[in-house]
Amino acid sequence: MIRRRKTLGVIVPLLVGIAYLTLAERKVMGSIQRRRGPNAVGLYGLFTPLADGRKLLLKETIVPMAANSSLFRMAPILTFVLALMGWAAMPLGEGFVYADRNRGVIYRFAISSLAVYGIMIAGWSSNSKYAFLGALRSAAQMVSYEVSIGFIVVSVLMCAGSANLTEIVRSQEEVWYVRPLFPMMRRFFVSALAETNRHPFDLPEAEAELVSGYNVEYSAMGFALFFLGEYGNMILMCSRTTVRFFGGWLLPFGIPTSRGRGVRVFGFKATFFLRGFIWARAAYPRYRYDQLMRLGWKVFLPLSLGWVGLTSGVLMGRNGF
C-alpha cells in the first residue's frame, strides 16, 4: 500500500506537470511571438490541456495496413513507461525519493539507453520511409549526445565521490557544482536539448523534410503517449541539471530548508531550465544534421573528455595523490 502511494505520488504530479507544461510552452511562445496563445477553453485557457487530452483519448487509433500492428502499438507504450521509470531514483527533496539507490546514476543511464528502442520500433514498424528516417536520426542523435553527457556526469561523480543522487546533492551544501563546472553545465544543457529531440536539434521531427518523423503514422493515444514521453523527458533532464549542478533542493549559502520547502525549491529550479527549453524553441533556427553530428562528436566529446582529465588532475593534486 505504501509503495502504491509513493508511485502515485510521483506519477500523478508528473502527468499534471506535463499537461500544463504544454500550456506554458504555448503561452510563452505566444508572448515571444507577440500573439495571445491558447485562451478559448476556460479562464485564460487553463483548461486547454484537459480539452486536448480528452480529444486525443476519444479519437480512433488508426493502424496503417502495411504496419506491424503489435510492434506499432507497443512502441508508444514503451517510450512512455521508460520516461516514467527514469523518475524512480530522482530525489525531489530530503528523503523525498521513490528508490534511494547507491547506483542511481547508473540506473538513469540504463533507462536512457533503452529509450531509443521505443523510437526505433515506432519508425520501423510503421513501414514508412519518413518514419524510418526519423527513427534513424533520433537513434544516432541520442547515442551521440549520450556519450558527451556520460563524460560530463563522470566529472560530477569525481567531485561528489558517490553515484547516489541524494549524496550528490548533499555534497553541494558548501558550493554548487555550477561554479567549478560551469562549462560542463552549459554543455550538459545543450546536450539535453539534443537528447530530448528539442529545438534547435529537433531533426527527427523536421516537418519540412520528414513530415513529423518517427511518429508521423500515429494518431489518438499513440501520438499522445509519445508526446507525454517527450515532455516527461524534458522535465527529467531539467531535474537532472538541477541535481548535478544547482544543489537540488538546497538553498545557496547553506540556508537550511524543510522537506516541503526543499521540494518547492527543487521545482523552482527545474522550472527555470524548462523556460530555457521553451525559449530555445522560439529563438533559434533548426540545425542541419551534419552540423548536429559535428557538434556532438568533434566539439562536445573532446571537450568533455578533456575536462574529465582536468578535473581528475585537480582533485588528485588537491588530495595529494
Side-chain angles (χ1 to χ4, degrees), residues 272-309:
F272 175 80
F273 290 108
L274 283 171
R275 289 183 63 90
F277 271 70
I278 298 171
W279 175 76
R281 179 177 178 182
Y284 287 108
R286 183 180 292 128
Y287 269 50
R288 288 202 322 264
Y289 200 70
D290 62 311
Q291 294 173 332
L292 173 72
M293 290 291 107
R294 186 184 303 117
L295 179 66
W297 289 105
K298 294 186 177 181
V299 179
F300 278 16
L301 181 58
L303 290 176
S304 301
L305 184 58
W307 197 273
V308 169

Side-chain angles (χ1 to χ4, degrees), residues 172-189:
Q172 300 178 63
E173 290 181 348
E174 295 182 3
V175 57
W176 293 353
Y177 290 149
V178 65
R179 292 178 60 185
L181 301 176
F182 180 72
M184 301 299 276
M185 187 278 296
R186 293 180 59 188
R187 292 182 203 124
F188 186 90
F189 184 75

